[in-house]
Amino acid sequence: GFDRRDMEGSDTTMLTAKELERYARHIVLREVGGPGQTALKEASVLVIGAGGLGAPVLMYLAAAGVGTLGVVDDDEVSLSNLQRQIIHTTPDIGRRKVDSAASAIYALNPHVHFEAHAVRLDAKNAMTLIGGYDLVLDGSDNFETRYLVSDACFFAGKPLITAALGQFDGSLTTIRAHETDEQGEFNPTYRCLFPEPPPPGTVPACAEAGVMGALAGMLGSMMALEAIREIVGFGEGLVGRLLMVDARAMRFETLNYGWDRNNPLSGEHPSIHDLSIHRG
């Protein structure tokens, strides 16, 4: 409950005195201010996966004061997760990841409303889960889920921030495929960038290939930053831009990509009309 005496100034009327102090370093930023912080408080974000990417995403979005944070993950914490999944701690081994994430988030910021979805995202539940949030962040570790999430976001009309990790490289982009650009063309979909998933077995899983823990932290933090920029509305977003990180040489490159008229989702002759192709 809000106490009227906690309210200060017209642009921060939604924030209590405690919140004004907690978010002071945001509020003094001209690009954020009271209205931006209030937008964060009113926003709801769904994070797919509480793993290497999801862990820093959840920590930084909770710290930033996103009002509602949901996470989808059906996994339990294992010892080998702790090298990179910093939202979980050694005593959490064996707990459901959504539960240990909830504990960490509440300890960091009790103002955040946390929603745990201890399920595996699939074609049957994707639209319902995604439909309840303003913004989706995909930190999953497999192509199957990435295509499912991006297709579901298109049909649900939700913006998506998606990232991927290799051993020493990572990439990040924002997808608003349900919206059109200044020319009236659709923004590109994930399928415009990657028309086909690689054949099964060609990309080794994280367990076999390995992943640099701090790189997961770096990409996850960048996803959180991109989410904050999308919610507050400043700077130039990553729609139509794939940001690539090479951690061996510490180089960043940006690849521009556009709408593909032949893509099966929003192209001129779409062949995907719902999530039934993901039902396997």
Side-chain angles (χ1 to χ4, degrees), residues 1-9 12-13 15-18 20:
F2 288 103
D3 183 339
R4 281 265 160 239
R5 287 165 303 190
D6 288 341
M7 309 288 190
E8 284 182 32
T12 50
T13 47
L15 303 169
T16 64
K18 276 268 191 283
L20 288 171

Side-chain angles (χ1 to χ4, degrees), residues 97-222:
K97 285 186 178 177
V98 292
D99 295 335
S100 59
S103 302
I105 285 166
Y106 283 128
L108 177 61
N109 189 349
H111 299 286
V112 175
H113 172 63
F114 182 77
E115 296 175 344
H117 305 284
V119 295
R120 187 165 182 82
L121 192 83
D122 60 29
K124 291 190 276 296
N125 63 23
M127 293 300 285
T128 309
L129 285 167
I130 285 168
Y133 294 84
D134 302 327
L135 176 62
V136 179
L137 273 64
D138 184 7
S140 63
D141 59 0
N142 63 87
F143 283 98
E144 200 182 319
T145 305
R146 281 180 211 141
Y147 281 89
L148 168 64
V149 171
S150 61
D151 289 351
C153 285
F154 174 76
F155 291 120
K158 303 290 181 180
L160 167 66
I161 296 167
T162 182
L165 284 176
Q167 290 173 304
F168 291 99
D169 60 279
S171 62
L172 168 70
T173 191
T174 297
I175 295 170
R176 289 179 165 271
H178 57 290
E179 295 171 354
T180 53
D181 61 17
E182 297 84 64
Q183 285 76 47
E185 261 189 6
F186 271 119
N187 288 324
T189 72
Y190 188 76
R191 292 177 180 277
C192 296
L193 185 57
F194 302 112
E196 294 284 320
T202 54
V203 177
C206 160
E208 302 147 38
V211 63
M212 182 59 66
L215 178 64
M218 190 169 155
L219 259 291
S221 300
M222 288 162 75

Side-chain angles (χ1 to χ4, degrees), residues 76-79 81-82 85-97 99-101 103-104:
E76 291 178 353
V77 180
S78 67
L79 183 57
N81 295 154
L82 302 182
Q85 302 180 17
I86 55 158
I87 200 166
H88 314 296
T89 62
T90 304
D92 292 321
I93 291 168
R95 285 182 83 189
R96 298 193 310 177
K97 285 186 178 177
D99 295 335
S100 59
S103 302

